[in-house]
Tab-separated table of all heavy atoms in Angstrom:
chain	number	residue	atom	x	y	z
A	643	THR	N	-20.474	5.133	20.629
A	643	THR	CA	-21.680	4.265	20.340
A	643	THR	C	-22.882	5.114	20.057
A	643	THR	O	-23.155	6.097	20.819
A	643	THR	CB	-22.029	3.325	21.515
A	643	THR	OG1	-20.857	2.505	21.802
A	643	THR	CG2	-23.187	2.448	21.202
A	644	GLY	N	-23.595	4.856	18.970
A	644	GLY	CA	-24.827	5.532	18.692
A	644	GLY	C	-26.071	4.913	19.293
A	644	GLY	O	-25.961	3.851	19.890
A	645	ASP	N	-27.188	5.551	19.085
A	645	ASP	CA	-28.458	5.035	19.651
A	645	ASP	C	-29.288	4.221	18.638
A	645	ASP	O	-30.332	3.744	18.945
A	645	ASP	CB	-29.265	6.099	20.242
A	645	ASP	CG	-29.619	7.241	19.310
A	645	ASP	OD1	-29.343	7.078	18.090
A	645	ASP	OD2	-30.179	8.247	19.714
A	646	ARG	N	-28.687	4.078	17.402
A	646	ARG	CA	-29.410	3.429	16.352
A	646	ARG	C	-28.354	3.058	15.323
A	646	ARG	O	-27.373	3.761	15.150
A	646	ARG	CB	-30.479	4.339	15.785
A	646	ARG	CG	-31.488	3.674	14.883
A	646	ARG	CD	-32.645	4.620	14.539
A	646	ARG	NE	-33.613	4.054	13.594
A	646	ARG	CZ	-34.565	3.207	13.932
A	646	ARG	NH1	-34.690	2.802	15.208
A	646	ARG	NH2	-35.424	2.730	13.064
A	647	PHE	N	-28.638	2.025	14.489
A	647	PHE	CA	-27.788	1.629	13.416
A	647	PHE	C	-28.137	2.401	12.161
A	647	PHE	O	-29.283	2.744	11.899
A	647	PHE	CB	-27.939	0.142	13.107
A	647	PHE	CG	-27.392	-0.778	14.161
A	647	PHE	CD1	-28.183	-1.319	15.171
A	647	PHE	CD2	-26.034	-1.108	14.209
A	647	PHE	CE1	-27.722	-2.131	16.162
A	647	PHE	CE2	-25.525	-1.956	15.138
A	647	PHE	CZ	-26.393	-2.504	16.145
A	648	GLY	N	-27.096	2.677	11.329
A	648	GLY	CA	-27.295	3.326	10.026
A	648	GLY	C	-27.083	4.779	10.145
A	648	GLY	O	-26.348	5.312	10.964
A	649	TYR	N	-27.705	5.514	9.152
A	649	TYR	CA	-27.521	6.967	9.095
A	649	TYR	C	-28.488	7.692	10.070
A	649	TYR	O	-29.477	7.130	10.440
A	649	TYR	CB	-27.734	7.472	7.631
A	649	TYR	CG	-26.835	6.886	6.627
A	649	TYR	CD1	-27.242	5.814	5.805
A	649	TYR	CD2	-25.620	7.424	6.457
A	649	TYR	CE1	-26.330	5.328	4.831
A	649	TYR	CE2	-24.707	6.944	5.498
A	649	TYR	CZ	-25.063	5.915	4.720
A	649	TYR	OH	-24.191	5.347	3.771
A	650	ASP	N	-28.146	8.936	10.303
A	650	ASP	CA	-29.126	9.795	11.044
A	650	ASP	C	-29.846	10.659	10.060
A	650	ASP	O	-29.708	10.499	8.805
A	650	ASP	CB	-28.401	10.601	12.131
A	650	ASP	CG	-27.373	11.532	11.557
A	650	ASP	OD1	-27.242	11.671	10.354
A	650	ASP	OD2	-26.753	12.347	12.364
A	651	GLY	N	-30.558	11.606	10.541
A	651	GLY	CA	-31.227	12.576	9.656
A	651	GLY	C	-32.341	11.988	8.804
A	651	GLY	O	-32.603	12.488	7.682
A	652	GLY	N	-33.018	10.941	9.252
A	652	GLY	CA	-34.141	10.398	8.527
A	652	GLY	C	-33.746	9.528	7.340
A	652	GLY	O	-34.627	9.164	6.513
A	653	ARG	N	-32.483	9.212	7.217
A	653	ARG	CA	-32.042	8.366	6.105
A	653	ARG	C	-32.046	6.874	6.547
A	653	ARG	O	-32.498	6.583	7.610
A	653	ARG	CB	-30.627	8.783	5.639
A	653	ARG	CG	-30.638	10.166	5.043
A	653	ARG	CD	-29.201	10.722	4.881
A	653	ARG	NE	-28.553	10.909	6.143
A	653	ARG	CZ	-27.249	10.967	6.292
A	653	ARG	NH1	-26.471	10.861	5.300
A	653	ARG	NH2	-26.717	11.172	7.520
A	654	ALA	N	-31.555	6.011	5.758
A	654	ALA	CA	-31.596	4.566	6.009
A	654	ALA	C	-31.017	4.187	7.334
A	654	ALA	O	-29.851	4.541	7.693
A	654	ALA	CB	-30.900	3.765	4.882
A	655	SER	N	-31.845	3.525	8.197
A	655	SER	CA	-31.403	3.183	9.526
A	655	SER	C	-32.245	2.001	10.009
A	655	SER	O	-33.155	1.512	9.313
A	655	SER	CB	-31.516	4.364	10.468
A	655	SER	OG	-32.840	4.751	10.604
A	656	GLY	N	-31.973	1.520	11.220
A	656	GLY	CA	-32.747	0.442	11.814
A	656	GLY	C	-32.382	0.148	13.212
A	656	GLY	O	-31.347	0.589	13.690
A	657	ALA	N	-33.245	-0.602	13.867
A	657	ALA	CA	-32.973	-0.942	15.266
A	657	ALA	C	-31.938	-2.048	15.362
A	657	ALA	O	-31.357	-2.254	16.418
A	657	ALA	CB	-34.291	-1.407	15.906
A	658	THR	N	-31.686	-2.767	14.259
A	658	THR	CA	-30.609	-3.801	14.231
A	658	THR	C	-29.723	-3.496	13.026
A	658	THR	O	-30.095	-2.792	12.101
A	658	THR	CB	-31.224	-5.213	14.075
A	658	THR	OG1	-31.819	-5.310	12.749
A	658	THR	CG2	-32.269	-5.500	15.133
A	659	TRP	N	-28.501	-4.095	13.077
A	659	TRP	CA	-27.595	-3.822	11.971
A	659	TRP	C	-28.114	-4.479	10.690
A	659	TRP	O	-27.975	-3.940	9.606
A	659	TRP	CB	-26.208	-4.349	12.334
A	659	TRP	CG	-25.191	-4.181	11.258
A	659	TRP	CD1	-24.355	-5.173	10.815
A	659	TRP	CD2	-24.800	-3.008	10.564
A	659	TRP	NE1	-23.477	-4.668	9.847
A	659	TRP	CE2	-23.754	-3.354	9.680
A	659	TRP	CE3	-25.321	-1.704	10.553
A	659	TRP	CZ2	-23.173	-2.435	8.789
A	659	TRP	CZ3	-24.710	-0.744	9.699
A	659	TRP	CH2	-23.643	-1.117	8.857
A	660	ARG	N	-28.738	-5.651	10.823
A	660	ARG	CA	-29.289	-6.313	9.620
A	660	ARG	C	-30.319	-5.371	9.023
A	660	ARG	O	-30.329	-5.187	7.786
A	660	ARG	CB	-29.954	-7.667	10.000
A	660	ARG	CG	-30.443	-8.393	8.754
A	660	ARG	CD	-31.673	-9.263	9.028
A	660	ARG	NE	-31.394	-10.329	9.999
A	660	ARG	CZ	-32.074	-11.433	10.068
A	660	ARG	NH1	-33.069	-11.710	9.223
A	660	ARG	NH2	-31.806	-12.352	11.019
A	661	ALA	N	-31.230	-4.792	9.812
A	661	ALA	CA	-32.292	-3.936	9.289
A	661	ALA	C	-31.707	-2.696	8.632
A	661	ALA	O	-32.124	-2.300	7.537
A	661	ALA	CB	-33.262	-3.572	10.341
A	662	ALA	N	-30.670	-2.116	9.252
A	662	ALA	CA	-30.094	-0.857	8.720
A	662	ALA	C	-29.307	-1.180	7.438
A	662	ALA	O	-29.486	-0.407	6.430
A	662	ALA	CB	-29.161	-0.278	9.810
A	663	PHE	N	-28.542	-2.287	7.416
A	663	PHE	CA	-27.793	-2.557	6.279
A	663	PHE	C	-28.712	-2.922	5.079
A	663	PHE	O	-28.416	-2.452	3.894
A	663	PHE	CB	-26.831	-3.805	6.551
A	663	PHE	CG	-25.852	-4.091	5.461
A	663	PHE	CD1	-24.830	-3.243	5.146
A	663	PHE	CD2	-26.092	-5.225	4.647
A	663	PHE	CE1	-23.945	-3.513	4.116
A	663	PHE	CE2	-25.191	-5.519	3.610
A	663	PHE	CZ	-24.143	-4.657	3.348
A	664	THR	N	-29.783	-3.646	5.322
A	664	THR	CA	-30.715	-3.949	4.262
A	664	THR	C	-31.345	-2.634	3.719
A	664	THR	O	-31.542	-2.468	2.523
A	664	THR	CB	-31.834	-4.854	4.799
A	664	THR	OG1	-31.228	-6.079	5.243
A	664	THR	CG2	-32.808	-5.243	3.683
A	665	ALA	N	-31.680	-1.740	4.686
A	665	ALA	CA	-32.265	-0.418	4.258
A	665	ALA	C	-31.321	0.374	3.374
A	665	ALA	O	-31.727	1.045	2.418
A	665	ALA	CB	-32.712	0.373	5.471
A	666	MET	N	-30.010	0.307	3.729
A	666	MET	CA	-29.005	0.980	2.961
A	666	MET	C	-28.912	0.409	1.521
A	666	MET	O	-28.804	1.154	0.555
A	666	MET	CB	-27.635	0.898	3.662
A	666	MET	CG	-27.534	1.723	4.956
A	666	MET	SD	-26.292	1.148	6.075
A	666	MET	CE	-24.830	1.238	5.005
A	667	LEU	N	-28.966	-0.890	1.404
A	667	LEU	CA	-28.895	-1.501	0.104
A	667	LEU	C	-30.223	-1.223	-0.667
A	667	LEU	O	-30.116	-0.883	-1.870
A	667	LEU	CB	-28.762	-3.027	0.294
A	667	LEU	CG	-27.423	-3.527	0.782
A	667	LEU	CD1	-27.476	-5.017	0.929
A	667	LEU	CD2	-26.238	-3.157	-0.235
A	668	ASP	N	-31.342	-1.246	-0.023
A	668	ASP	CA	-32.574	-0.931	-0.690
A	668	ASP	C	-32.598	0.546	-1.252
A	668	ASP	O	-33.112	0.722	-2.328
A	668	ASP	CB	-33.821	-1.132	0.300
A	668	ASP	CG	-34.117	-2.610	0.471
A	668	ASP	OD1	-33.727	-3.401	-0.364
A	668	ASP	OD2	-34.836	-2.891	1.424
A	669	ALA	N	-31.999	1.435	-0.459
A	669	ALA	CA	-31.931	2.852	-0.927
A	669	ALA	C	-31.051	2.957	-2.213
A	669	ALA	O	-31.399	3.643	-3.130
A	669	ALA	CB	-31.361	3.707	0.188
A	670	LEU	N	-29.971	2.180	-2.223
A	670	LEU	CA	-29.119	2.225	-3.442
A	670	LEU	C	-29.834	1.582	-4.627
A	670	LEU	O	-29.690	2.062	-5.747
A	670	LEU	CB	-27.801	1.479	-3.168
A	670	LEU	CG	-26.809	2.222	-2.229
A	670	LEU	CD1	-25.587	1.348	-1.945
A	670	LEU	CD2	-26.411	3.549	-2.857
A	671	LEU	N	-30.574	0.517	-4.341
A	671	LEU	CA	-31.306	-0.068	-5.456
A	671	LEU	C	-32.368	0.900	-6.022
A	671	LEU	O	-32.594	0.926	-7.192
A	671	LEU	CB	-32.026	-1.358	-4.987
A	671	LEU	CG	-31.095	-2.589	-4.675
A	671	LEU	CD1	-31.839	-3.683	-3.988
A	671	LEU	CD2	-30.405	-3.064	-5.947
A	672	ALA	N	-33.032	1.661	-5.154
A	672	ALA	CA	-33.980	2.603	-5.554
A	672	ALA	C	-33.258	3.746	-6.356
A	672	ALA	O	-33.839	4.191	-7.367
A	672	ALA	CB	-34.733	3.203	-4.348
A	673	ASP	N	-32.145	4.128	-5.871
A	673	ASP	CA	-31.340	5.130	-6.628
A	673	ASP	C	-30.991	4.641	-8.003
A	673	ASP	O	-31.062	5.346	-8.972
A	673	ASP	CB	-30.047	5.471	-5.869
A	673	ASP	CG	-30.351	6.288	-4.585
A	673	ASP	OD1	-31.277	7.107	-4.619
A	673	ASP	OD2	-29.554	6.115	-3.602
A	674	ALA	N	-30.559	3.405	-8.102
A	674	ALA	CA	-30.183	2.800	-9.374
A	674	ALA	C	-31.356	2.825	-10.372
A	674	ALA	O	-31.207	3.128	-11.563
A	674	ALA	CB	-29.709	1.351	-9.218
A	675	ALA	N	-32.558	2.572	-9.824
A	675	ALA	CA	-33.795	2.625	-10.686
A	675	ALA	C	-34.059	4.041	-11.086
A	675	ALA	O	-34.399	4.303	-12.255
A	675	ALA	CB	-34.977	2.034	-9.926
A	676	ASP	N	-33.857	4.952	-10.185
A	676	ASP	CA	-34.175	6.416	-10.503
A	676	ASP	C	-33.188	6.925	-11.603
A	676	ASP	O	-33.590	7.731	-12.457
A	676	ASP	CB	-34.022	7.260	-9.276
A	676	ASP	CG	-35.118	7.056	-8.237
A	676	ASP	OD1	-36.122	6.426	-8.582
A	676	ASP	OD2	-34.958	7.514	-7.115
A	677	TRP	N	-31.950	6.490	-11.530
A	677	TRP	CA	-30.912	7.002	-12.431
A	677	TRP	C	-30.668	6.091	-13.635
A	677	TRP	O	-29.764	6.323	-14.433
A	677	TRP	CB	-29.573	7.183	-11.679
A	677	TRP	CG	-29.628	8.334	-10.696
A	677	TRP	CD1	-30.038	8.278	-9.423
A	677	TRP	CD2	-29.283	9.702	-10.977
A	677	TRP	NE1	-29.941	9.539	-8.833
A	677	TRP	CE2	-29.467	10.414	-9.771
A	677	TRP	CE3	-28.756	10.375	-12.082
A	677	TRP	CZ2	-29.181	11.780	-9.636
A	677	TRP	CZ3	-28.471	11.731	-11.997
A	677	TRP	CH2	-28.686	12.429	-10.789
A	678	ASP	N	-31.473	5.004	-13.744
A	678	ASP	CA	-31.382	4.077	-14.841
A	678	ASP	C	-29.973	3.457	-14.946
A	678	ASP	O	-29.380	3.385	-15.991
A	678	ASP	CB	-31.737	4.741	-16.148
A	678	ASP	CG	-32.039	3.733	-17.243
A	678	ASP	OD1	-32.473	2.594	-16.963
A	678	ASP	OD2	-31.873	4.151	-18.463
A	679	VAL	N	-29.449	2.961	-13.807
A	679	VAL	CA	-28.193	2.363	-13.766
A	679	VAL	C	-28.332	0.837	-13.857
A	679	VAL	O	-29.070	0.229	-13.129
A	679	VAL	CB	-27.401	2.726	-12.409
A	679	VAL	CG1	-26.095	1.990	-12.365
A	679	VAL	CG2	-27.258	4.195	-12.291
A	680	THR	N	-27.557	0.271	-14.795
A	680	THR	CA	-27.658	-1.193	-14.948
A	680	THR	C	-26.709	-1.857	-13.941
A	680	THR	O	-25.545	-1.523	-13.834
A	680	THR	CB	-27.204	-1.612	-16.348
A	680	THR	OG1	-28.060	-0.966	-17.354
A	680	THR	CG2	-27.244	-3.090	-16.540
């Protein structure tokens, strides 16, 4: 068991699984915009 949901090292995470999972999706959406992925 970890002490937080999501990734460590300052990447997408959250105090709840909903918050962490949403942050993970938001990071991918931002990546898609950066790389111009449809």
Side-chain angles (χ1 to χ4, degrees):
T643 303
D645 57 8
R646 192 170 178 80
F647 290 96
Y649 297 102
D650 65 359
R653 296 167 294 161
S655 63
T658 67
W659 179 230
R660 184 210 300 204
F663 186 72
T664 302
M666 290 158 56
L667 291 175
D668 283 341
L670 288 176
L671 290 171
D673 289 327
D676 290 347
W677 290 87
D678 196 26
V679 178
T680 301

